[in-house]
Amino acid sequence: MGIIEKQSIRNLILTYLGVALGFVSTLYLFPFILTTQEYGLTRVLLSIAFITSEFAHLGVKNIAIKFFPEFENYNQKHNGFLFLVLFIPLIGFLLFLILFFIFDEWLIIKYSVDSNLFQEFHLYLIPLVFGILYFDIINSYVRANKDSIPGTFVNEILLRVLLIILLILMNFEVIDFSAFIIGFVTCYLIQPTILLLYIVSKQLFFIKPNFQFLTRDLVTRLGGYGFYVLLGGISHLIVNNIDVLMLGSISGLTDTAIYTIAFYIGSVIVVPQKSIGKIAPSIISTHLFNSNLNEVERIYKSSSINQLVIGFLLFTGIISNIHNIFEILPEEYSQAYWVIVFIGISKLIDMAGGVNGTIIMNSPYFRFNLVATGLLIAISIILNYILIPSYGISGAAVATMISLLIYNIAKSLYIYLKYRIQPLSVKVFPIILVSVSLIGLSYQINTFLSTYVDIVIRSFLILVIYGLLMAYFKISPEVENYWGKVVRIVKS
């Protein structure tokens, strides 16, 4: 088994463990320990920090992956590559500080609709941005050295464990909310610190610059690529956070908290897509380079159907247990029903597109990705402004669903026009039929004994019936083989 496949499976395992920890904190701790305004504040701070850090790294996060092979030479200490990786984002961070202090009053007014919490804690954005920025940068350097596991562990497992500890301390009144926010931000500063210690332990901490290695041609290529991926990365982060940012400014922190928890529940189904997204680029790039369109089409279709098999299973389980979820959450979160449904559907739409974005990014037509993302941002902003005032959190979810539908249609249509291939097959119909039927059947069954017993029994029955029907219809042999490899790696 190759290094890419082996690490991807281990990343998937760590990611699902992270999802489990995330469910503990999201469903059992955050809603009961923090008020909706306090939780909404943490989500707004993170959304702003993620977008800002994507700007501040100035494209270096992607440069570190793409250009490391040109610098790679252990005896020459990688020709000062780490110095560039750490220094250039520092310039971006200083630019962020300047803009932050210019626009801080505007931010305070924008996010103080129903609470003054943002005004009280907005300065914590500075260390939060720094921590997220340098975690991404150092993690890219670690990944460039062909090791993706440490970053996944720190981000998916350690971070969530630390946050759970903070919430428990607050629950027992060991700390107050001010101390919680300090700890919250500190968790994001711990991430890059641990990765920095990791590269020191692996004797990869080569900080001395080598300016002689930087030819004019190399600098030009670094700058050109960095500028493009910077625009694309910012666009991607805006798309993923625009609903939270606009909801926070239009409806306030309370609605933001309710929406965020519902969004998290509905987004659980997208985990398989992230795993495939770490494997596919290098494979598709090779086949496109060799003009092997038959293999590209095979991967395109298999990525779509495999993602949908797992995605619809998780969607079916979530929607069938939605009454149990609301039994667990505080009463004010019960208005999030349609958010979970619409966000779940939006993620299924995105998964149906398979690796359409990867194909575009690794083709001669990669610039279209920026055009498509720009279209997505424009549609998202317009729909959120129209729908949030009238429909609140459900409006934000509908805006996301429609935006992703148009976005994926645009990308898939573009690929079809250029290569005459598309991701969908007739096997999609039995998957949808099985999912809808199981959800409808589940709604006819009363609760078994108690909420938690019902979750276990209902989920187990759905898993068994769904799995048997997928096998009967012979939907995806790849999924069966893949999970067989997962079991073997766990045992090894």
Side-chain angles (χ1 to χ4, degrees):
M1 186 179 295
I3 185 172
I4 295 176
E5 191 173 4
K6 199 167 187 177
Q7 287 196 22
S8 69
I9 293 175
R10 287 175 175 169
N11 278 324
L12 182 64
I13 294 170
L14 288 175
T15 301
Y16 269 117
L17 287 174
V19 168
L21 291 170
F23 252 87
V24 171
S25 60
T26 302
L27 295 185
Y28 293 97
L29 298 178
F30 273 115
F32 295 97
I33 297 172
L34 301 185
T35 67
T36 52
Q37 291 182 352
E38 289 170 344
Y39 183 52
L41 172 70
T42 64
R43 299 308 99 186
V44 168
L45 289 176
L46 280 178
S47 292
I48 295 174
F50 280 130
I51 290 177
T52 305
S53 64
E54 191 68 28
F55 162 79
H57 72 65
L58 301 178
V60 169
K61 182 173 73 172
N62 304 85
I63 288 173
I65 301 293
K66 182 175 178 61
F67 286 91
F68 178 73
E70 296 189 37
F71 286 80
E72 188 175 11
N73 187 321
Y74 189 84
N75 293 329
Q76 296 296 322
K77 299 182 178 180
H78 298 324
N79 293 293
F81 188 66
L82 182 58
F83 172 81
L84 294 176
V85 167
L86 296 179
F87 177 75
I88 294 174
L90 189 59
I91 298 173
F93 182 73
L94 293 175
L95 290 174
F96 153 70
L97 287 179
I98 294 170
L99 293 173
F100 177 79
F101 286 112
I102 290 175
F103 292 104
D104 67 331
E105 289 296 327
W106 178 82
L107 280 173
I108 290 171
I109 294 171
K110 201 71 176 172
Y111 290 100
S112 298
V113 175
D114 62 347
S115 171
N116 291 322
L117 279 177
F118 185 84
Q119 180 178 359
E120 184 179 351
F121 294 103
H122 76 288
L123 289 176
Y124 286 99
L125 272 170
I126 296 173
L128 186 60
V129 168
F130 185 86
I132 292 173
L133 168 65
Y134 272 95
F135 168 75
D136 284 341
I137 294 302
I138 299 173
N139 188 35
S140 293
Y141 178 72
V142 174
R143 288 173 57 203
N145 281 275
K146 301 177 179 61
D147 194 354
S148 61
I149 303 301
T152 302
F153 172 78
V154 169
N155 195 49
E156 300 292 343
I157 306 298
L158 182 61
L159 176 64
R160 287 184 167 93
V161 169
L162 292 175
L163 290 176
I164 287 172
I165 292 171
L166 281 176
L167 287 165
I168 292 172
L169 291 175
M170 189 172 174
N171 182 60
F172 289 102
E173 299 181 354
V174 177
I175 60 175
D176 59 11
F177 183 67
S178 295
F180 172 83
I181 288 293
I182 293 173
F184 179 81
V185 173
T186 302
C187 289
Y188 286 90
L189 292 170
I190 289 173
Q191 286 187 291
T193 304
I194 290 177
L195 287 188
L196 194 63
L197 293 173
Y198 175 79
I199 63 175
V200 170
S201 70
K202 292 294 182 179
Q203 298 181 334
L204 296 171
F205 188 72
F206 306 131
I207 196 64
K208 185 178 179 180
N210 183 0
F211 296 114
Q212 293 180 342
F213 189 81
L214 297 173
T215 63
R216 179 177 295 181
D217 174 67
L218 180 57
V219 171
T220 301
R221 288 189 293 118
L222 286 171
Y225 182 79
F227 177 73
Y228 174 78
V229 298
L230 173 65
L231 293 178
I234 292 173
S235 300
H236 180 73
L237 261 292
I238 290 174
V239 166
N240 285 341
N241 292 276
I242 191 66
D243 45 4
V244 172
L245 292 175
M246 294 184 68
L247 196 62
S249 65
I250 295 173
S251 296
L253 297 180
T254 298
D255 276 359
T256 303
I258 297 171
Y259 179 82
T260 302
I261 285 184
F263 188 95
Y264 178 84
I265 296 169
S267 297
V268 168
I269 66 173
V270 85
V271 173
Q273 186 182 37
K274 293 180 180 179
S275 177
I276 292 175
K278 294 177 182 178
I279 310 166
S282 60
I283 300 173
I284 287 176
S285 178
T286 300
H287 289 307
L288 284 172
F289 180 78
N290 294 321
S291 299
N292 190 356
L293 288 183
N294 288 333
E295 192 63 20
V296 172
E297 183 177 23
R298 186 193 68 78
I299 296 171
Y300 195 16
K301 287 183 177 295
S302 66
S303 67
S304 173
I305 201 71
N306 290 335
Q307 289 179 163
L308 286 176
V309 168
I310 304 175
F312 267 103
L313 171 62
L314 295 173
F315 179 77
T316 304
I318 289 170
I319 302 303
S320 297
N321 280 290
I322 205 164
H323 62 291
N324 289 320
I325 294 173
F326 290 133
E327 282 292 325
I328 296 170
L329 290 169
E331 186 178 350
E332 59 263 34
Y333 288 91
S334 60
Q335 60 182 291
Y337 176 89
W338 287 110
V339 176
I340 297 174
V341 173
F342 291 136
I343 292 301
I345 294 173
S346 74
K347 297 305 178 184
L348 291 173
I349 290 170
D350 207 31
M351 296 169 89
V355 290
N356 53 19
T358 301
I359 292 174
I360 292 172
M361 282 299 295
N362 288 279
S363 74
Y365 315 107
F366 63 90
R367 292 178 180 84
F368 178 79
N369 191 65
L370 187 58
V371 175
T373 308
L375 174 67
L376 177 57
I377 292 173
I379 294 172
S380 296
I381 292 174
I382 292 170
L383 288 176
N384 274 290
Y385 265 121
I386 293 173
L387 297 175
I388 289 176
S390 299
Y391 302 102
I393 58 176
S394 296
V398 172
T400 297
M401 182 179 68
I402 296 174
S403 300
L404 283 175
L405 176 62
I406 296 173
Y407 179 59
N408 278 281
I409 288 175
K411 289 194 296 181
S412 298
L413 181 60
Y414 188 80
I415 292 172
Y416 181 77
L417 292 174
K418 295 298 181 182
Y419 294 112
R420 298 296 172 181
I421 59 176
Q422 57 87 28
L424 299 178
S425 70
V426 294
K427 291 183 178 181
V428 172
F429 294 108
I431 298 176
I432 297 174
L433 178 63
V434 169
S435 176
V436 172
S437 299
L438 285 175
I439 291 172
L441 179 63
S442 178
Y443 272 54
Q444 305 304 313
I445 301 174
N446 295 325
T447 301
F448 294 102
L449 300 177
S450 68
T451 297
Y452 295 101
V453 172
D454 187 71
I455 290 175
V456 173
I457 295 177
R458 195 177 296 263
S459 300
F460 178 75
L461 290 174
I462 288 171
L463 176 63
V464 171
I465 297 172
Y466 185 93
L468 289 173
L469 289 173
M470 290 301 104
Y472 174 78
F473 288 113
K474 301 185 185 305
I475 300 295
S476 175
E478 291 91 350
V479 171
E480 298 176 19
N481 294 334
Y482 192 79
W483 283 109
K485 292 175 182 178
V486 171
V487 173
R488 286 195 294 273
I489 286 181
V490 170
K491 291 181 178 179
S492 66

